[in-house]
Amino acid sequence: MRTFAIASTILAAGISAAYAEYPERPINMIVAYSAGGGTDIAARTLAPYIEKYLGDDASIVVLNRPGAGGEIGFTELAQAEPDGYTIGFINTPNLLTIPIQRDARYSLESLTPIANVIDDPDAFSFLPSSEIKSIEDLIAYAKENPGQVTYGTTGLGSDDHLSALEFERIAGVELKHIPFPGNADVRTAVLGGHVMMASMNISETMADVEEGSLHALGQMATERWSGAPDIPTFQEQGYDIVMGSMRGIGAPANLPEDIADKLEAAVKAAVEDPEFQEKAKQQHLALSYLDSEAYLAELQSLNATFEELWTTEPWAQE
């Protein structure tokens, strides 16, 4: 009996030591959008702080896998080994709308939500030189020039796309959608005059607004984000449109519970780190932490909403 007890103690200690070793090699963090965009900036700002709270030997490598509205990166994340060495940012609504609108090689069930980090309202923005200075100007121009207002988004079924479709419906106008691989590409296109309007998240717009290179017509939140207190919501201006993107950390399904718990604790500590919060403020990151349980519940609720929307107003049939 004593021999069995000693053996059990040694085994338990060995298992604990093995768990404590994670991570013992670099962790890949997949970003399903191009470098320089909002998700990429968030990932590269947050990664060093997740490293900090995972332990002295932790190392995270950010890998950009843009394309197909995020499907390429989400698929790579879902199909990776569930060993904790591949994590990634997962973005709504693209994460959810892609499998609804077409056959995809991943689903919500093929991922393990770790924690949400950002909840970022959408916004419409134009060059300051544009004659469109307000939502009313946009509606008037679009009605006089049907289909002539070109706008860039991060792809079919993205929050930027769905918000524009909802605006078209409410305002009774027709715009022309131009999808891009990522937000950085949308920004380049609008600043270069290749599209008239950028439909981007407010945090991704604010640096250009503050520099005077873009003018935002409004933000699609229930209340003004603290990082953009001078930009009115669409609701304030008489247009009941609330749309945005949640961005959080996910991993492949069947991730061992101990590794998931360790990652969740590290992300929480990272988001709460005062130094990170200051950098997030400088980077215009709209922080909104949710633990894994609350995050999964929100994703499941959103998924049901988008499935219902698809049956009545399929957004991919343009």
Side-chain angles (χ1 to χ4, degrees):
M1 182 68 70
R2 183 171 178 274
T3 302
F4 175 76
I6 292 173
S8 297
T9 301
I10 292 172
L11 177 61
I15 292 173
S16 297
Y19 285 170
E21 289 174 359
Y22 171 81
E24 57 185 358
R25 66 178 191 270
I27 297 169
N28 289 330
M29 177 184 280
I30 294 173
V31 171
Y33 299 95
S34 53
T39 305
D40 180 70
I41 290 171
R44 295 179 189 277
T45 304
L46 182 63
Y49 295 91
I50 299 178
E51 291 176 344
K52 175 181 175 179
Y53 292 103
L54 277 177
D56 294 338
D57 296 328
S59 174
I60 296 176
V61 180
V62 177
L63 303 175
N64 295 94
R65 297 289 189 262
E71 183 177 1
I72 291 173
F74 300 149
T75 299
E76 184 172 334
L77 175 62
Q79 294 182 351
E81 287 294 321
D83 55 9
Y85 291 100
T86 302
I87 61 175
F89 263 78
I90 51 179
N91 307 52
T92 65
N94 299 52
L95 176 77
L96 307 172
T97 56
I98 288 171
I100 293 173
Q101 73 191 35
R102 61 178 181 261
D103 289 335
R105 293 174 294 161
Y106 78 91
S107 67
L108 178 57
E109 291 70 29
S110 60
L111 295 163
T112 298
I114 301 297
N116 189 64
V117 177
I118 291 168
D119 196 350
D120 199 355
D122 286 320
F124 290 167
S125 57
F126 288 80
L127 293 173
S129 58
S130 171
E131 64 184 87
I132 298 174
K133 307 293 185 185
S134 67
I135 295 177
E136 288 73 19
D137 289 344
L138 172 57
I139 293 172
Y141 186 95
K143 286 185 174 180
E144 292 175 6
N145 304 275
Q148 296 304 302
V149 176
T150 55
Y151 69 95
T153 76
T154 55
L156 288 170
S158 64
D159 55 305
D160 351 294
H161 181 218
L162 295 181
S163 64
L165 292 179
E166 181 65 5
F167 177 76
E168 286 181 306
R169 186 186 69 80
I170 288 178
V173 297
E174 179 187 348
L175 312 177
K176 183 174 178 59
H177 181 212
I178 310 294
F180 291 90
N183 170 74
D185 309 277
V186 177
R187 177 179 177 273
T188 298
V190 72
L191 291 176
H194 306 298
V195 295
M196 289 180 63
M197 182 179 87
S199 182
M200 301 190 298
N201 299 110
I202 187 65
S203 74
E204 299 168 331
T205 307
M206 281 310 297
D208 289 307
V209 169
E210 291 176 351
E211 292 175 2
S213 51
L214 283 178
H215 171 70
L217 304 188
Q219 54 181 306
M220 299 179 188
T222 54
E223 58 184 38
R224 299 186 189 192
W225 171 47
S226 61
D230 297 327
I231 297 178
T233 67
F234 272 62
Q235 286 184 333
E236 287 177 67
Q237 300 176 78
Y239 301 91
D240 189 15
I241 306 175
V242 177
M243 186 68 69
S245 176
M246 298 176 69
R247 301 176 198 148
I249 303 297
N254 301 314
L255 186 69
E257 185 176 349
D258 62 297
I259 293 178
D261 289 345
K262 189 168 186 178
L263 282 168
E264 182 180 345
V267 174
K268 183 176 188 294
V271 172
E272 293 176 347
D273 189 294
E275 185 178 286
F276 167 74
Q277 291 189 354
E278 180 58 31
K279 289 188 177 181
K281 184 178 180 180
Q282 295 170 4
Q283 297 287 359
H284 303 289
L285 301 181
L287 299 181
S288 181
Y289 178 82
L290 291 177
D291 64 24
S292 58
E293 184 177 353
Y295 189 25
L296 176 59
E298 183 66 20
L299 290 173
Q300 290 172 334
S301 176
L302 283 172
N303 195 55
T305 297
F306 292 131
E307 285 179 338
E308 183 178 353
L309 178 63
W310 178 257
T311 63
T312 58
E313 297 182 55
W315 53 80
Q317 297 181 12
E318 299 190 317

